[in-house]
Amino acid sequence: MNKAVRPSRPQTRRQRVEEKEQAIIAAARAVFGKNGFDKAKIAEIAKRAGVAEGTVYLYFENKNALLLAVATEFYDRLTHDAAEGIKSLPDTKSRLAFLARHHVERVAAEWPMLSTAMMPFKASDEYRQTEGYQLNRTYVEVFDQVIRDGINRGDIRTDVPLSVMRDIFYGGLEYGARTLRMRPDRADLDETVDQMMQILSVGMLVKPAAVDTDGGAADAVLDRLEKIATRLETTAATTD
Amino acid sequence: MNKAVRPSRPQTRRQRVEEKEQAIIAAARAVFGKNGFDKAKIAEIAKRAGVAEGTVYLYFENKNALLLAVATEFYDRLTHDAAEGIKSLPDTKSRLAFLARHHVERVAAEWPMLSTAMMPFKASDEYRQTEGYQLNRTYVEVFDQVIRDGINRGDIRTDVPLSVMRDIFYGGLEYGARTLRMRPDRADLDETVDQMMQILSVGMLVKPAAVDTDGGAADAVLDRLEKIATRLETTAATTD
Amino acid sequence: MNKAVRPSRPQTRRQRVEEKEQAIIAAARAVFGKNGFDKAKIAEIAKRAGVAEGTVYLYFENKNALLLAVATEFYDRLTHDAAEGIKSLPDTKSRLAFLARHHVERVAAEWPMLSTAMMPFKASDEYRQTEGYQLNRTYVEVFDQVIRDGINRGDIRTDVPLSVMRDIFYGGLEYGARTLRMRPDRADLDETVDQMMQILSVGMLVKPAAVDTDGGAADAVLDRLEKIATRLETTAATTD
Amino acid sequence: MNKAVRPSRPQTRRQRVEEKEQAIIAAARAVFGKNGFDKAKIAEIAKRAGVAEGTVYLYFENKNALLLAVATEFYDRLTHDAAEGIKSLPDTKSRLAFLARHHVERVAAEWPMLSTAMMPFKASDEYRQTEGYQLNRTYVEVFDQVIRDGINRGDIRTDVPLSVMRDIFYGGLEYGARTLRMRPDRADLDETVDQMMQILSVGMLVKPAAVDTDGGAADAVLDRLEKIATRLETTAATTD
DNA sequence: TATGAATGAGGTTTCATTCAT
DNA sequence: TATGAATGAAACCTCATTCAT
C-alpha cells in the first residue's frame, strides 16, 4: 500500500526509525489537539501516522508518554527558536517584542493542542514536579534572562518581581492568542501583538517613567526632547 | 404548589431538593476539578454528594449538563459579585483593582475546576457558540463597562482596543492566579495582586503620564515636536 | 390538577379503584404494544394512566403481573365474545366464518400489543405451564368445540387432527391479520377474511364444500364421476 | 492478499476470522432465542462463542447489527435451500409439500430464535422498510413463484389472491411448527406436515389434486364413490 | 391510598494495551 | 520490527422497584 517513495527514501535504518517516530508524534499532535487528550484515540493516531496500533507502543511506552513526547518536541522547538531569536537583538524592548510575537504566533497556531491535550501536565497540584512543568520552565527561562538582563541595564523596573511580570506577559499573550484564533482573519496578528506590547512594555520598562512609574515610552520622549532642547540651545547660542 | 415556606429542619420539599442539587453541583465541581471532565466519574460525584448514582441523573440530563450547571453557577456568582463590587467604587483605578483582586481570588480558589473541567467549553473552534462562551461573555462585560466608563472619563487610553486590554488583564491575572496556587503560602495574595496591578494600570491608565505615556500617541507628539524643533532649527539658521 | 369529573364521578370506593385499575391496564396495553414488553417503561404507563409510578405497584405486583393482567383482560374479552358470537349460529361453516372474522378483527386491532408484549408468554419451552398458555387454551376451546360439534354433525373431516386444524386456522388468520395491518386501507377486511375462509373451509369441511365451495377440487372430481356414472347407467341400460 | 489457501489446522487467518464470526453468530442465535433480544446479554453471547466481550464488537457494530446478522444468515440459508429443493420437483403439489416440510423443519428448529429475537424486525408499523422485512420478502418469493407457476399450469385456483394463500400457508405452518416444538416427541413431524398439507392443498389446488392427493376429502370421495359403485351394481343387477 | 424522589444493580459499549504471528 | 486481532476493565446511563411522606 505504501510504495517506496523514491526521492526521499531514508537511507539508514536509524533514519527510518526516526522518521516513523516523527510521523507518530505529528499524528498525535494533530489528534490530541482536536478534542483533547482523553478523547484522542490511539487508533486514530496510528492511522494518521500510517502505522499499526501496536507500533505506537513500540515507540512510546503508553499514551501519556506519547503526549509527553509531543509536548517535549513542541517546547524544545519553541525554546530553541526563542533563544535564537533574541540573540541578535540589542535592546530589551525589541527582545520582548520578539518574544511576544514569537509566542503568540506559535501559541495561536497550536492552541487546540495546547489548551486541551496538555492539560494533564498543568492541572494537578503537583504540577511543579511534572515533566510538563520543567519544559515550560526551560522555555520561560529565555524570558527570565531577558528581564534579568534588562534589569542589569536599568531598562526594567525592579519593584515588581520577575514572576509577576512573567505571568502577565505570557498570560496576557495567551489570552490574546486565543482571541486571535477565534477570529476569521489572522491578518491583524502583527497589529494585535503591537498593541499588547504597548501595554506590557509600558508596564515593565523603566526609563522615563522612572519617576512616576508611568508609561515607559515617556522616557524616550524625554530623551528626544532633551536632545532637541540641547539643539535648540545650541542653535540659540549660535544665533546669538 | 407554593406553600408558605416555613423554616423547619430539612425544611420544605422544595428546599430539600434544591439542597441536593447544590450538593451535587458542589461535588461535581470538586471532582471535575481534580482531573478534568473526562477523568471525572459520576460514581465519585455521587458518593461525594451523598446520593446514589442514579440520583445524579434525576437532577441532570447527563454528564455534560452537569458540567454546564457547574460552570453556570460559578460564572453567575462571579459575575454578580463583580458587578456588585464595583458599584460603590468611584474611580476607574480602584474599580480595576477590585476586579483584579476579585478575579484572582476566585480563580485561584477554583483553578483546578476551571483549568480542566471547563476546557470542553473553550477548546473547540465553535467556542463562541457554546454556552460556556456566553457565560464568560457576560462576566467580562463587567470589565468592559468599567473600561468604557474610564474612557469617557478620560482615564483610559484609547489607542489600544478594549479587547486587547481585556485579554491582557484577564490572561495575566489568570496566570498569576495559577502561580499563586502552586505556592504553599497564599498570604501574599494581596501583594501579588498589587504588583500585577502596578503593571496593568500603568499600561492601561492615562493619568500619571496623560501627556507622556507614549501610548501610540507619543509618537505623534514626538513627530510634532520634532517638526517644531526642525522648524526652530531652520528658523534659527535662517535668522542667522 | 384533576378536577373532579362531575357526570361520571364514580360512586363507590370500589368503583373508583376499579376505574383506576382499568386505566392502568389500558395504558399498559398501549405502551406494551408500542415497542414490546422490555422497552415499555413503567413511568410511561403511569403517566398515561394519570397516576404516579408508585401507584402502579399498588395495583400490580410488578411489571410481569401487569402484563399478565393486560393479557388476561384481552383474552377474557376475546373468549367471551367468541363464545357469545357463535351461540346463535346454526351451522358449522357460519360459525367458523364468525370465529375467523372475529379473530382477525381483534388481532388486527391489537397486533402490536400481541406480537411484542406477549412474547414472554409464548417464547419459552415451558409455555404450556404459563398463564399465557392457559388463557390461549381457554380461547381456542371455543374453536375446538365448534369443530367437535362439526364432526358429530358430519360437517368436518375426521382424518386430520383437531390440533392441526386449529393451528392452520389461527396461524393463517394471524398472518392474514398482520398483512392487513400493514396496508393503509382496512376496508378490505371482510373480503380478505372471506378469501381466507374459502381456503380454510374447503380444507376442513366435508361434503357441503364439494357442492358450492368449488375450492375443493374433489367436488369437480365427484361431479365428473357422477356424470360418468350416469353415463354408465345410461349406457348400461341402453346396452342391455 | 489471497494466498493459496492450504488446509492447515486453524488454517489461514481469514478462515479463522470467519470461523470466529460464525461462532459469534451461532452463540447469538442461541442466546437471542432463549429470552428474546432485549433480555439477551452480550456477555453471555461472548462467553458462548468463546471470545471476550469486546471481540463481539470487533465483528459487529452493535447488538442490533448482530441480530441482523443472525437473521440474515438464517434467511439466506432458508431461502437458498427452499429454492434448491423445488428445482427437481416437477409438479406444484410436491413443490408445496416440500416447501411446507422444509419450512416447518427449520422453523421448528429455530422457533425460539425466531419468535422472540426477531420481533424487533416485525413489530413496528414500518416493518416493510426494515431489513428484516426484505429478508422475509426474498424468502417467500420462492413460494410465490411456485404458486404463479401453478396458476399457469392450471394447478392453482385463481379466485383467491396469492397474498392470502401465502399468509395461510406460512401462518398455518408456523403455528404448526410451534405446536410441534412443544411436544416432547418430534417423530411425528412428517405426519403432521402431511396433515397440514392435506388441508392446505385441498384449499389451494384446483381439481385434479382431488384424485391422487387423497387430500382430506378422499374419505368423502371414497364414500360417495362407494355409493356410486353400489348404484352401478344395482343398475347392473337390474339390467341383468 | 397515593405520591414521586431515590435507589443501585446491571447492560452496552469503548479503548488502551497486549501478544501471537 | 511490525501487525492488528483480541482482551477486559470500566464508565455512563437506564429503569424496575422501594419507601418516606
Side-chain angles (χ1 to χ4, degrees), chain B residues 60-153:
Chain B
F60 303 95
E61 179 85 11
N62 53 32
K63 207 181 169 187
N64 263 292
L66 181 52
L67 173 56
L68 186 59
V70 169
T72 300
E73 212 220 29
F74 176 76
Y75 267 113
D76 279 355
R77 212 189 311 263
L78 198 65
T79 303
H80 172 82
D81 293 352
E84 209 59 32
I86 59 167
K87 268 188 184 164
S88 56
L89 298 175
D91 62 299
T92 304
K93 194 172 176 187
S94 61
R95 286 177 178 179
L96 290 177
F98 171 81
L99 288 183
R101 180 68 158 75
H102 170 255
H103 187 78
V104 168
E105 213 166 21
R106 296 295 176 86
V107 167
E110 302 287 345
W111 177 249
M113 188 270 286
L114 280 181
S115 68
T116 60
M118 289 189 38
M119 270 301 129
F121 290 144
K122 294 200 172 172
S124 71
D125 276 353
E126 308 89 22
Y127 173 47
R128 299 180 87 150
Q129 291 146 34
T130 64
E131 281 116 332
Y133 176 74
Q134 288 311 324
L135 290 172
N136 190 71
R137 203 77 205 89
T138 306
Y139 171 51
V140 295
E141 184 57 39
V142 176
F143 171 87
D144 287 8
Q145 201 51 52
V146 167
I147 295 298
R148 285 198 211 97
D149 246 45
I151 287 173
N152 288 338
R153 301 179 185 197

Side-chain angles (χ1 to χ4, degrees), chain A:
Chain A
M1 204 166 275
N2 268 322
K3 287 187 184 178
V5 179
R6 203 74 45 72
S8 68
R9 170 136 127 285
Q11 292 87 2
T12 74
R13 177 167 316 190
R14 180 174 166 168
Q15 265 177 317
R16 255 173 295 149
V17 161
E18 242 165 57
E19 212 167 69
K20 203 164 279 189
E21 187 176 298
Q22 281 306 312
I24 294 171
I25 288 179
R29 171 153 60 202
V31 176
F32 283 152
K34 240 193 335 180
N35 287 310
F37 179 76
D38 291 290
K39 300 231 175 72
K41 288 160 210 155
I42 296 288
E44 192 186 344
I45 292 172
K47 186 183 288 182
R48 272 204 195 216
V51 300
E53 274 177 75
T55 306
V56 173
Y57 286 85
L58 289 179
Y59 288 80
F60 303 95
E61 178 81 12
N62 53 30
K63 205 181 172 187
N64 264 293
L66 181 51
L67 172 56
L68 185 58
V70 169
T72 301
E73 212 220 29
F74 176 75
Y75 267 113
D76 279 355
R77 209 187 318 259
L78 197 65
T79 303
H80 173 82
D81 294 353
E84 208 59 33
I86 60 167
K87 269 188 185 164
S88 57
L89 297 176
D91 63 301
T92 304
K93 192 174 177 188
S94 61
R95 286 178 178 178
L96 289 177
F98 171 81
L99 287 183
R101 179 68 158 75
H102 171 255
H103 187 78
V104 169
E105 212 166 22
R106 295 296 177 86
V107 167
E110 301 286 344
W111 176 250
M113 189 270 286
L114 280 181
S115 68
T116 60
M118 291 190 36
M119 270 303 128
F121 290 144
K122 294 199 173 173
S124 69
D125 277 353
E126 309 89 20
Y127 174 46
R128 301 180 85 148
Q129 292 145 34
T130 65
E131 282 114 332
Y133 176 74
Q134 288 311 322
L135 289 172
N136 190 70
R137 204 76 205 88
T138 307
Y139 171 52
V140 296
E141 184 57 39
V142 176
F143 171 87
D144 287 7
Q145 202 51 54
V146 167
I147 294 298
R148 284 196 212 96
D149 246 44
I151 288 173
N152 287 338
R153 300 180 186 197
D155 293 338
I156 297 290
R157 60 196 290 187
T158 55
D159 57 336
V160 172
L162 171 52
S163 67
V164 169
M165 287 188 184
R166 192 201 304 131
D167 285 341
I168 290 192
F169 188 79
Y170 284 109
L173 291 176
E174 233 157 272
Y175 261 50
R178 196 185 68 197
T179 300
L180 271 178
R181 254 199 75 79
M182 298 194 315
R183 301 200 179 172
D185 56 334
R186 312 273 168 80
D188 48 8
L189 187 147
D190 283 316
E191 193 191 348
T192 304
V193 174
D194 274 356
Q195 290 165 337
M196 289 196 280
M197 280 310 295
Q198 277 171 37
I199 291 185
L200 292 172
S201 60
V202 169
M204 298 193 298
L205 293 177
V206 167
K207 284 186 281 186
V211 184
D212 50 47
T213 318
D214 95 308
D219 299 332
V221 175
L222 290 181
D223 279 350
R224 296 181 64 189
L225 277 176
E226 203 134 39
K227 285 174 191 161
I228 293 170
T230 305
R231 224 159 58 209
L232 285 174
E233 287 170 335
T234 310
T235 306
T238 306
T239 312
D240 267 326

Side-chain angles (χ1 to χ4, degrees), chain C residues 157 167 174-175 217 222 240, chain D residues 174-175 179 207 216 224 239:
Chain C
R157 58 195 295 187
D167 284 343
E174 233 155 273
Y175 263 50
L222 289 181
D240 264 323
Chain D
E174 234 157 272
Y175 261 51
T179 300
K207 328 166 219 181
R224 296 181 64 192
T239 312

